[in-house]
Amino acid sequence: MPITITTTVALVLSHFAAPVQPESKGNEHFESGAEAHAKRDYEKAIREYTAALTREPKSVAIYEARADAHAHNGDPLAAIRDLSEAIALDPNRARTYAARGNLRCRLGWTEKAIEDLTEAIRLDSAQATSFYDRGLAYARHGDHKKAIADHTTALRLDPDMAAAHHARGVARGTLGEFDRAIADFSECIRLDSKYARAFHNRGAAYRVQGKLDKALADLGEAIRLEPREPSHYLARAICYRLKRDFPAAFTDCDEAVRLDPKNPVALCHRAAVCLVTREWEAARKDFDEAIRLNPNYADAFMHRAMLIASCPDPRYQDAPLAFKDSKRACELTEWKNSAALEAYAASLAALGDFESAVKWQKKVLADDVYMRTEGTSARKRLELYESQTPFRPDPGPRRD
């Protein structure tokens, strides 16, 4: 269960750092709204801006200010409606398109986000933040090469933009360019030594390269900077597992669960450590809870399927449920995830259908990317199924 290099969408409506002035002076409702806005009393700000619009119904600035308040108050759809009204009133304001594109990206509407940000850039090509935001939208859309190009342009316009170095590093890491990703994360850290996510992602890149001590150092720094962020602990737990320090791995996973007990990812990571240390009951309990919390979490289904299909302890074997779990995992991943396919093959073997198990395991062996890291175990499983033998993992060390 690897943790991938990640990024975040830019701050919502960062183009409106402070409420702008309305077209006319003396609108007391706007002034009251701006005061509440500055104090982060967004509900009052929205009420006052709404009243202000009754006096100035064609004020683009008031629509923009209310959009910002809606966004910070957790209602991005209302914010988008206000920005659309502003654009209808004045279609030549680059920052309004940029702000709407930013929000659309946050909602996962990447095509619309890219359209908005492209228009913002057409209207004002000197704003680094618009290129940065469009780069994030391209990355979320899956076009990491275009993301890199936009982040590079953002850095040409603003060489000290730490976030653009970080985002470009994420895109490069996603493409497997780990040396260049590390260089970007390092430059981000040079510009902003408190950028915890850059330490996290540089650590993740070092881990992929097998430089575990460097990875642990970076992840430790991320934890120091953000001690209540569960993903830092989960990333460090992976490194500890690779170093076969299972007590440390369990401690980090346990802390991630303590910080976010309703996070199915953290529960699955803790269960993964329990699998290695032969704590079958604890692993099953965590997988069950992860599925209860998120009935569409494919990883939980595939790993519970592998546990109950292949557990050396017959008390925890349940081939029929393993088959259902693995099929569900394959459906959730559109039958394209090789780890889910391996679980499916293992469940078929547990049911005694070795012919089908061989068929599906061979599909796993056709995945060159998956085989780079899992090839040895995948080939061993195929040999077992061909010899009419179900898979049973090698016994690992106990945590105690």
Side-chain angles (χ1 to χ4, degrees), residues 121 125-136 146-165 167-168:
I121 290 166
S125 60
Q127 293 299 315
T129 53
S130 293
F131 284 99
Y132 167 72
D133 289 343
R134 191 175 70 172
L136 294 180
K146 286 186 178 179
I148 290 169
D150 269 357
H151 294 317
T152 300
T153 302
L155 286 166
R156 178 177 58 78
L157 294 168
D158 183 359
D160 294 332
M161 192 177 189
H165 275 294
R168 189 171 68 177

Side-chain angles (χ1 to χ4, degrees), residues 42-108:
Y42 299 118
E43 291 187 5
K44 181 179 179 181
I46 291 165
R47 289 195 303 271
E48 291 297 320
Y49 291 145
T50 300
L53 282 167
T54 63
R55 294 184 58 179
E56 297 182 71
K58 295 186 178 181
S59 171
V60 173
I62 297 175
Y63 274 114
E64 290 177 343
R66 192 172 70 173
D68 186 76
H70 274 308
H72 283 94
N73 201 42
D75 193 348
L77 294 178
I80 288 171
R81 287 194 294 270
D82 274 351
L83 292 169
S84 296
E85 288 288 345
I87 288 168
L89 290 165
D90 184 353
N92 296 309
R93 291 162 77 99
R95 69 180 185 183
T96 317
Y97 282 102
R100 189 174 69 175
N102 196 320
L103 279 169
R104 284 173 162 172
C105 181
R106 186 185 182 197
L107 291 170

Side-chain angles (χ1 to χ4, degrees), residues 29-241:
H29 288 295
F30 180 85
E31 293 171 0
S32 176
E35 182 179 347
H37 201 146
K39 294 178 179 178
R40 300 183 181 181
D41 186 350
Y42 299 118
E43 291 187 5
K44 181 179 179 181
I46 291 165
R47 289 195 303 271
E48 291 297 320
Y49 291 145
T50 300
L53 282 167
T54 63
R55 294 184 58 179
E56 297 182 71
K58 295 186 178 181
S59 171
V60 173
I62 297 175
Y63 274 114
E64 290 177 343
R66 192 172 70 173
D68 186 76
H70 274 308
H72 283 94
N73 201 42
D75 193 348
L77 294 178
I80 288 171
R81 287 194 294 270
D82 274 351
L83 292 169
S84 296
E85 288 288 345
I87 288 168
L89 290 165
D90 184 353
N92 296 309
R93 291 162 77 99
R95 69 180 185 183
T96 317
Y97 282 102
R100 189 174 69 175
N102 196 320
L103 279 169
R104 284 173 162 172
C105 181
R106 186 185 182 197
L107 291 170
W109 305 346
T110 53
E111 290 185 7
K112 289 292 186 181
I114 291 166
E115 288 177 10
D116 274 346
L117 291 159
T118 299
E119 182 63 10
I121 290 166
R122 186 189 70 79
L123 291 166
D124 184 357
S125 60
Q127 293 299 315
T129 53
S130 293
F131 284 99
Y132 167 72
D133 289 343
R134 191 175 70 172
L136 294 180
Y138 274 129
R140 192 161 184 181
H141 195 63
D143 194 336
H144 300 288
K145 290 183 178 179
K146 286 186 178 179
I148 290 169
D150 269 357
H151 294 317
T152 300
T153 302
L155 286 166
R156 178 177 58 78
L157 294 168
D158 183 359
D160 294 332
M161 192 177 189
H165 275 294
H166 176 258
R168 189 171 68 177
V170 170
R172 284 173 165 168
T174 303
L175 292 175
E177 301 173 6
F178 294 109
D179 285 335
R180 301 182 79 182
I182 288 168
D184 265 330
F185 296 140
S186 297
E187 183 62 13
C188 174
I189 290 166
R190 186 188 70 79
L191 292 166
D192 184 353
S193 62
K194 295 183 179 180
Y195 207 120
R197 184 56 56 175
F199 281 104
H200 176 122
N201 285 329
R202 190 173 68 174
Y206 279 138
R207 173 180 61 79
V208 172
Q209 292 185 328
K211 300 174 182 177
L212 297 180
D213 289 337
K214 286 187 174 182
L216 286 169
D218 271 353
L219 291 164
E221 182 63 12
I223 289 169
R224 187 187 70 80
L225 291 167
E226 292 181 345
R228 298 193 60 78
E229 173 50 53
S231 67
H232 300 331
Y233 292 95
L234 296 180
R236 191 170 69 174
I238 293 176
C239 294
Y240 280 132
R241 282 170 57 193

Side-chain angles (χ1 to χ4, degrees), residues 250 257 264 266-272 274 281-291 300:
F250 184 87
V257 172
L267 288 162
C268 280
H269 274 273
R270 188 170 68 178
C274 292
E281 186 171 350
R284 174 64 191 268
K285 181 179 178 182
D286 276 350
F287 287 137
D288 289 349
E289 180 64 5
I291 289 169

